[in-house]
Amino acid sequence: MLRWSLLGGAVPALLFVAAALGLIWLTGGRRRRWRLRSIVLSVILSALITAALVYYTENIWQPFPDALPAPVIALIGVGVLGLVLLVPRVRHSTWPVRPLAVVISTVVLLAAANGVNIYYGQFPTLGALLGAPVDDELPAGVLPPSDQSTPPAHGDVAQLTIPGSFAARPAMIYLPPVYLVRNSPPLPVLILFAGQPGSPRDWFASGDLADRMDAFAAADHGFAPIVVVPDVLGSALDNPLCMDSRLGKVGTYLDHDVPQWIEHHLRVDGHWAVGGASNGGTCSLQTALRQPKLFPTFLDIAGQDEPTLGTREQTVAATFGGDEAAFRAQNPLDELATHHYPGLAAMLTTSDQDDVYGPQAQRVRQALEAAGVSVQFRVLPGRHGWMSFGPALSQALPWLVTRMGGTR
C-alpha cells in the first residue's frame, strides 16, 4: 500500500470519481426548490470562505513566498464546498445518514487535497505522504560500514543530525555504491536543498534522489558524488531565508557547520558543489555567492531571484527589523550588482510552464553573466514542482560531476 501512487493511476482516479459523486449526493435530501437555493448559497459561501483563506494565507500568515496558483485556489474551493454542503445535508437528514455525510464530505476534502498534491508532485506515493523510509534507508543516526569487496547495486541512505548554529532537523545523506567498498577513495560532495514547505526527505521521497544517483553510479562502476541534504528551514512551514538574520543563523550553518561536519564524518576529496530546487534553488545561489571558493559550482532549479517573505518591505522587517542595508548585503541580486565572481559556474533550470519562477530565473541569469559567472541555462517541459525538479537534477549530474573533477 505504501507504494500506491497518489499522482496517477487507480487511487487518485477513484478518489476523484468518489468526490464527484459525493458532491452530487451532498446536494440532495431536500425539495427541488430549496435544494437549488441551498446549492447556490453554498457555492457563494464557499467562494467567500476560499477568498478569505487565500487572503489570510498570502497576506497575514504568509507561510509561502509566492501567491497561490489559480488551479490550487480552485481545488481549495472544491474542498471548502464539500464542507459547506455538509451542513445542510446533516441538518436535514436523519441520524443514519449524518455519519455517511461526514464520510463523503471528507472524501471530497481528500480529493481536493490530492489535487493540490498532483499539481506540485509533493507526495508521489502513500509512503511519501506518511513519511515511510525510502529504499536502502538505514536506521536513523547510522552510517554504513565500508566493508564490501565490490560496489553493490545500490547506494545507502542515512539520516543524521548535523549540529551547529541553527536548530535544524536531521539531514538526509546519499552514499554511492563505491563508498561502501573497503579502501574506497574519497569522493566529491553535492550539498542539496529542498524547497519550502518541505524537508530534506523530499529529495528522496518526492525527487527519487537515491534512484537517480544509483542510475548515474551504475554507468561509472559505482562512482558518484556523496549527496548531503541538510535542513535549511527548521520546520516544514518556517522560512528563515537561508541567511543570518533574526530568523536564524542559516548562513553560518551552511557555510561552516555543515562542511565541517561532512569533513569530519565522511570521506570527501575537497571538491564541493551546492544545489537546490525552488526555495532550495534560491538557497544554493545565496550559499555559492557567500562562499564562492568553497562552492565554485552550483545548481539552481526553479529558484527565486531573491529570498522573500512577501513584499520587500515585509521581508526586510522580518529579517533585519527594517534595516534595508543589512538585507541588501545578503541579497543575491544586490551582491551580483556590486561584486564579480569569475571563478563561479552555475546551471539554472526552469520549466516551460513556470510563469512565476521562469522570468525570475532569466533575471538571475542576466545578473550572473554580468558578474562574470559562467552560466548554463536549461528549460525543461512541465510546471513548477517535483515532476520537473527530479529530472532537472538527473540532467545536471554530468555537468556537476565534470565541474567537481570527476568521481575517480
Side-chain angles (χ1 to χ4, degrees):
M1 289 178 62
L2 294 178
R3 295 183 181 273
W4 287 357
S5 174
L6 298 180
L7 304 183
V11 174
L14 290 173
L15 192 59
F16 290 148
V17 169
L21 295 175
L23 283 172
I24 296 173
W25 184 84
L26 286 170
T27 61
R30 304 185 68 183
R31 288 178 296 179
R32 180 175 300 177
R33 181 168 63 105
W34 290 103
R35 184 187 308 169
L36 180 60
R37 181 178 299 180
S38 176
I39 293 172
V40 172
L41 291 176
S42 296
V43 170
I44 294 173
L45 180 58
S46 299
L48 293 174
I49 293 174
T50 301
L53 287 173
V54 171
Y55 179 85
Y56 175 79
T57 300
E58 295 181 350
N59 297 279
I60 300 175
W61 182 21
Q62 294 181 325
F64 316 122
D66 296 295
L68 296 173
V72 172
I73 295 175
L75 287 164
I76 294 173
V78 171
V80 172
L81 178 61
L83 295 176
V84 170
L85 287 172
L86 174 65
V87 177
R89 194 65 163 102
V90 168
R91 184 178 178 184
H92 298 284
S93 300
T94 58
W95 170 247
V97 176
R98 291 174 181 173
L100 177 60
V102 172
V103 171
I104 291 176
S105 180
T106 302
V107 169
V108 173
L109 187 62
L110 290 175
N114 195 52
V116 176
N117 176 51
I118 291 173
Y119 185 88
Y120 290 111
Q122 183 74 25
F123 303 109
T125 64
L126 185 60
L129 176 64
L130 298 176
V134 297
D135 291 344
D136 302 307
E137 182 175 349
L138 301 169
V142 174
L143 278 173
S146 298
D147 58 0
Q148 302 195 37
S149 57
T150 59
H154 305 283
D156 278 343
V157 178
Q159 179 181 256
L160 295 104
T161 298
I162 301 179
S165 53
F166 176 65
R169 294 168 292 177
M172 298 289 290
I173 301 170
Y174 169 82
L175 300 168
V178 74
Y179 188 90
L180 309 177
V181 177
R182 287 189 299 270
N183 301 317
S184 61
L187 296 173
V189 180
L190 170 62
I191 297 180
L192 206 57
F193 310 126
Q196 189 274 344
S199 74
R201 182 172 292 275
D202 290 349
W203 262 113
F204 293 83
S206 307
D208 297 323
L209 187 144
D211 288 343
R212 296 180 187 281
M213 297 306 299
D214 283 344
F216 182 86
D220 195 13
H221 309 288
F223 284 82
I226 296 168
V227 183
V228 178
V229 188
D231 179 33
V232 296
L233 301 178
S235 69
L237 294 179
D238 283 342
N239 191 2
L241 298 182
C242 194
M243 60 174 66
D244 284 353
S245 74
R246 291 182 172 187
L247 302 179
K249 292 190 175 183
V250 184
T252 299
Y253 182 68
L254 297 178
D255 298 350
H256 302 287
D257 301 334
V258 171
Q260 289 176 4
W261 185 93
I262 291 172
E263 289 179 337
H264 183 72
H265 291 86
L266 303 174
R267 297 190 308 281
V268 298
D269 65 5
H271 293 91
W272 303 72
V274 67
S278 192
N279 178 274
T282 314
C283 189
S284 72
L285 169 64
Q286 294 170 265
T287 304
L289 294 184
R290 285 195 306 262
Q291 297 286 342
K293 292 184 178 180
L294 179 61
F295 302 112
T297 305
F298 76 93
L299 170 66
D300 180 352
I301 304 172
Q304 303 152 296
D305 54 6
E306 63 178 28
T308 179
L309 293 172
T311 65
R312 180 79 172 242
E313 292 75 15
Q314 290 169 328
T315 305
V316 173
T319 51
F320 298 103
D323 187 344
E324 177 77 19
F327 177 78
R328 288 173 63 89
Q330 298 193 60
N331 184 47
L333 290 185
D334 292 316
E335 291 184 69
L336 290 168
T338 56
H339 296 81
H340 280 264
Y341 301 87
L344 196 60
M347 177 174 288
L348 305 182
T349 301
T350 186
S351 302
D352 58 4
Q353 298 177 39
D354 192 343
D355 297 330
V356 175
Y357 294 88
Q360 295 186 53
Q362 291 285 4
R363 289 194 290 272
V364 172
R365 175 189 187 179
Q366 295 170 3
L368 287 169
E369 291 176 339
V373 179
S374 173
V375 180
Q376 302 277 328
F377 192 87
R378 295 181 180 178
V379 179
L380 302 182
R383 57 176 178 265
H384 190 86
W386 283 104
M387 302 79 63
S388 58
F389 297 165
L393 174 63
S394 292
Q395 290 199 17
L397 276 174
W399 176 82
L400 285 169
V401 172
T402 300
R403 279 284 304 176
M404 288 190 283
T407 53
R408 295 178 189 265

